[in-house]
Amino acid sequence: MKKLISFLLLSFVGYALQAQIKDPVKFKTELNTLSDTEAEIVFTATIDNGWHVYSTELGDGGPISATFNVDKKSGLELVGKLKPVGKEVATFDKLFEMKVRYFENTAKFIQKVKLTGGAYEIEGYLEYGACDDESCLPPTEVPFKFSGVAKAGNAPAAKTEQPAKTEPEKKEPEKKEPEKKELEKKEEPAPAPTEVKDSAAMMELVPATPVDAATDIQPAVASGELWKPVISDLQALGEEHGQKDMSWIYIFITGFLGGLLALFTPCVWPIIPMTVSFFLKRSKDKKKGIRDAWTYGASIVVIYVALGLAITLIFGASALNALSTNAVFNILFFLMLVIFAASFFGAFEIRLPSKWGNAVDSKAESTTGLLSIFLMAFTLSLVSFSCTGPIIGFLLVQVSTTGSVVAPAIGMFGFAIALALPFTLFALFPSWLKSMPKSGGWMNVIKVTLGFLELAFALKFLSVADLAYGWRLLDRETFLALWIVIFALLGFYLLGKIKFPHDDDDNKVGVTRFFMALVSLAFAVYMVPGLWGAPLKAVSAFAPPMQTQDFNLYKNDVHAKFDDYDLGMEYARLNGKPVMLDFTGYGCVNCRKMEAAVWTDPKVSDLINNDYVLITLYVDNKTPLSEPVKIVENGTERTLRTVGDKWSYLQRVKFGANAQPFYVLLDNQGKPVNKSYAYNEDIPKYIEFLQTGLENYKKAK
């Protein structure tokens, strides 16, 4: 009966762990004998969609590189370094301010070894880092152990031992020493020399050296009630999960708005009445004229959607994503946008070769039926390129960062729908043509306004290149100063204080134009405090990172009191305060996003700083433990070697989670007072998360 109860308990715990433990990467390890004296250890990974595994030798200060680590070896020697094999994605990461390389879908790493003859044995682990758009795993180990007998010149078949199935692990960068206040000099209490077994996760802690099944078990990591699992408590409270940044609906709306902008440019708007009138007049049958106009609109949609699909099919989703953050590409795109802006200001006219349009146009006239209509739509695409090109280019670059093969097509679908809509509507309701605003100076105002916007966005692309090469030409305050000037000049232009070559001499400013000027000038004023360090959340996605700012007066920051769980919990107990655990990583992108977008809110920072004891635990902290520790977790043996390993182990065993960012509110006895919180930049929801935890803590006292 006891065995049955234990089995049911373990089954329940296993199910609970599955709720948050993420296992997106599965490695297969094997030893391949190449010759009598050569062999290679091959690690082959299968990676879930949306996740990626970082490659080798990325450098300091970046994400977790794949590394080959040996605990013990005999009878063989390593040859060279760990070699990544397969299709790597190389891209510039704006958070780390460096170029990174990673694998998607599948990855392979190979370490060559030389067999020196006789019996050989090697034991160690591959360490790697993995992330998706919302979270990152801590540094993860793939253990291996191989042994056999080899003879120089005539080796028998090698005996290989396949390691047990692996699971996510952790570790990495340097340790940040926080303020410890009253406990600054207090050492972490030594664990009692008694056996520790976690009844829920069935984990054992044993010394790492030597590896011996008979070695006494010691609690080198966990200590007391503070480490007791609370997975069932969190399940009773409920869990929060982050959401995707960019949905298909968002991409479609972005494309649709781009199409509306293109619609009101001098390249497109004047063509609408001429085209609709042509379809209605060329056929005596009104219904056929309407069908032709509908076909014309549908052809526009087909052309632009095909363009979106062609781009990702030619380059591939991953390559397009890498291209969008490539330094050279961003410099070229910056120059292209500046040239287009100068063209919109009236410096010169950019057109595709006239013979292209003439050739397509003459072909349309010489044919009939659907082909004729399709060629007319294609002619529109060519002649309107000078106005639609910059909008389409910017849209494709933005949506390509999703890494989805269909995202550019969805963006182009929205763009084409907006562009084709007036042709079909005016064909259905010809009387609307009479009330359609006539072409005039207002169209040039829109064109010049687009020129200012292109100039502003061009700086965003230059910023990526600036970060890549470390020029420091476009630090945050320089970027903001240029944007302030650009949007202030746009405001003065809309008020009629600045004139360009194609502008009318009429000095009257309409109501719509006045309100557009008001918005532009207000936006310029809004950015001024950013010169002294204000967060400016509205432009945080475009401006360079805060650390590039030289002069910062903004003090509304959140700093952890402790980076040690046991010390922080003891401080909270002595001071009668609840605890906020922040499981994070030096290489966690979304952790930095939460800190910049959410923690800087005055209400959030006030709650964390004054009502909680904040304990930040870096799961990639590379500081070595005083003694490595062997653990057996769910039947898999692995070694905890660093402080980061320790905190990642805590997150898994106590909370049943292994991805960051991960926030938990506890009383000072280690019990949760609210559901956990993951990546979600909803500030009101985060405030509610903190306030609910505080109220529950006070009720329980």
Side-chain angles (χ1 to χ4, degrees), residues 620-660:
D620 51 10
N621 188 335
K622 287 272 191 179
T623 304
L625 292 172
S626 58
E627 181 183 5
V629 176
K630 286 280 187 183
I631 62 168
V632 177
E633 184 177 352
N634 297 327
T636 301
E637 182 184 275
R638 65 167 60 93
T639 304
L640 307 183
R641 296 177 173 83
T642 68
V643 172
D645 289 352
K646 179 179 177 180
W647 303 141
S648 185
Y649 168 77
L650 170 67
Q651 186 184 2
R652 293 197 315 278
V653 67
K654 186 172 177 69
F655 304 108
N658 68 336
Q660 297 78 44

Side-chain angles (χ1 to χ4, degrees), residues 669-698:
Q669 301 301 316
K671 295 288 185 182
V673 293
N674 195 9
K675 56 190 176 183
S676 64
Y677 197 100
Y679 174 65
N680 190 330
E681 295 184 33
D682 188 330
I683 293 176
K685 186 175 286 189
Y686 201 81
I687 292 173
E688 180 186 358
F689 162 70
L690 295 172
Q691 288 178 332
T692 302
L694 194 60
E695 290 167 6
N696 291 342
Y697 173 75
K698 290 177 179 178

Side-chain angles (χ1 to χ4, degrees), residues 484-503:
I484 290 168
V485 171
I486 289 171
F487 283 96
L489 289 174
L490 173 58
F492 288 128
Y493 169 78
L494 292 171
L495 289 174
K497 303 301 181 183
I498 301 174
K499 294 287 185 180
F500 285 96
H502 296 156
D503 286 317

Side-chain angles (χ1 to χ4, degrees), residues 305-385:
V305 170
L307 173 65
L309 282 173
I311 288 174
T312 39
L313 290 175
I314 291 170
F315 294 102
S318 299
L320 193 59
N321 182 35
L323 188 65
S324 69
T325 51
N326 178 271
V328 175
F329 171 78
N330 277 274
I331 293 173
L332 294 176
F333 203 78
F334 160 75
L335 293 174
M336 186 189 77
L337 286 181
V338 171
I339 292 170
F340 273 116
S343 173
F344 280 7
F345 291 152
F348 44 80
E349 197 72 28
I350 297 178
R351 295 182 184 274
L352 289 175
S354 57
K355 61 180 181 180
W356 292 7
N358 294 335
V360 176
D361 194 33
S362 61
K363 187 68 176 176
E365 291 179 359
S366 63
T367 56
T368 58
L370 294 178
L371 180 59
S372 173
I373 297 172
F374 181 82
L375 290 173
M376 288 182 64
F378 196 68
T379 303
L380 170 70
S381 304
L382 291 176
V383 300
S384 63
F385 172 78

Side-chain angles (χ1 to χ4, degrees), residues 400-459:
S400 68
T401 58
T402 62
S404 170
V405 71
V406 297
I410 293 171
M412 285 295 94
F413 180 67
F415 180 89
I417 288 289
L419 205 60
L421 202 57
F423 293 97
T424 52
L425 287 177
F426 285 127
L428 288 172
F429 307 101
S431 59
W432 290 5
L433 286 172
K434 297 178 182 178
S435 59
M436 179 178 172
K438 303 299 181 184
S439 301
W442 64 273
M443 302 192 71
N444 191 67
V445 172
I446 292 178
K447 192 173 179 181
V448 172
T449 301
L450 283 175
F452 277 107
L453 293 177
E454 287 175 5
L455 200 57
F457 285 124
L459 293 175

Side-chain angles (χ1 to χ4, degrees), residues 499-643:
K499 294 287 185 180
F500 285 96
H502 296 156
D503 286 317
D504 293 338
D505 293 331
D506 187 1
N507 290 324
K508 290 182 180 179
V509 176
V511 175
T512 303
R513 186 168 168 177
F514 172 79
F515 278 109
M516 289 174 63
L518 186 63
V519 170
S520 184
L521 290 171
F523 184 58
V525 173
Y526 162 79
M527 290 186 287
V528 170
L531 298 174
W532 291 274
L536 302 182
K537 297 175 186 177
V539 298
S540 60
F542 301 98
M546 185 69 76
Q547 57 262 34
T548 64
Q549 182 132 347
D550 297 324
F551 188 57
N552 189 351
L553 296 178
Y554 191 70
K555 301 298 181 183
N556 193 29
D557 295 331
V558 175
H559 297 290
K561 289 184 174 70
F562 294 92
D563 65 354
D564 184 281
Y565 174 64
D566 296 294
L567 288 178
M569 292 298 293
E570 178 66 11
Y571 176 85
R573 186 185 66 80
L574 293 174
N575 288 271
K577 281 189 172 186
V579 169
M580 175 175 165
L581 279 187
D582 165 32
F583 286 96
T584 184
Y586 295 108
C588 176
V589 174
N590 284 329
C591 300
R592 303 294 86 78
K593 286 184 180 179
M594 288 292 291
E595 291 159 13
V598 180
W599 284 15
T600 54
D601 180 82
K603 182 66 175 177
V604 173
S605 61
D606 180 68
L607 281 167
I608 297 176
N609 287 330
N610 298 324
D611 296 316
Y612 285 92
V613 175
L614 176 60
I615 306 174
T616 292
L617 304 176
Y618 285 87
V619 298
D620 51 10
N621 188 335
K622 287 272 191 179
T623 304
L625 292 172
S626 58
E627 181 183 5
V629 176
K630 286 280 187 183
I631 62 168
V632 177
E633 184 177 352
N634 297 327
T636 301
E637 182 184 275
R638 65 167 60 93
T639 304
L640 307 183
R641 296 177 173 83
T642 68
V643 172

